[in-house]
Amino acid sequence: MDEVVRKLAGIGLPAIILLITMASTGLAGAAAITAALAMLGPGGMVGGIVLLGIVGLASDALSKYGLTSLLKAIYSERRSRGESLQNLCREIDSLPISKELKLVLKDDIGSSR
């Protein structure tokens, strides 16, 4: 059951993005889909389709692992590659996430070395 919910979440976000973009075109039917896809991505409709695919993969990963785990892994990897703790903390402070999650991330990268 969890797998089904995760897959639906992966499909749902790109669909919502497409619907919002379609509504902003002022068109209906196939013309709205065509215009929305062309607006979404670089390179016209193909770029829009690719963008929606990437958003679907990202939302699938987020629903599988959770935002906290994903961010911890990203910042731990960057820290292990030699990025300074000060730069990473500054970047974490600028993220639009809760203060609690910011503290968790800073603690995780600070204790990883």
Side-chain angles (χ1 to χ4, degrees):
M1 185 63 163
D2 289 340
E3 186 70 20
V4 171
V5 170
R6 189 170 62 80
K7 292 296 180 188
L8 288 175
I11 294 169
L13 184 59
I16 290 170
I17 291 171
L18 181 61
L19 287 174
I20 291 171
T21 310
M22 285 173 56
S24 71
T25 65
L27 301 170
I33 294 172
T34 303
L37 287 173
M39 285 173 44
L40 279 174
M45 286 179 58
V46 174
I49 293 169
V50 169
L51 176 79
L52 290 176
I54 291 170
V55 168
L57 291 173
S59 63
D60 185 50
L62 280 173
S63 64
K64 184 176 183 179
Y65 300 110
L67 181 61
T68 304
S69 298
L70 203 58
L71 287 174
K72 277 183 176 182
I74 289 168
Y75 282 105
S76 294
E77 176 66 22
R78 288 177 61 191
R79 180 74 173 131
S80 69
R81 290 184 183 211
E83 287 195 48
S84 75
L85 184 60
Q86 182 181 10
N87 287 341
L88 292 175
C89 286
R90 193 176 314 121
E91 184 178 316
I92 290 170
D93 283 333
S94 69
L95 292 175
I97 55 177
S98 68
K99 290 180 182 178
E100 292 81 16
L101 183 52
K102 289 178 184 180
L103 291 173
V104 167
L105 291 174
K106 287 179 186 179
D107 184 52
D108 187 63
I109 63 172
S111 63
S112 66
R113 270 215 159 170

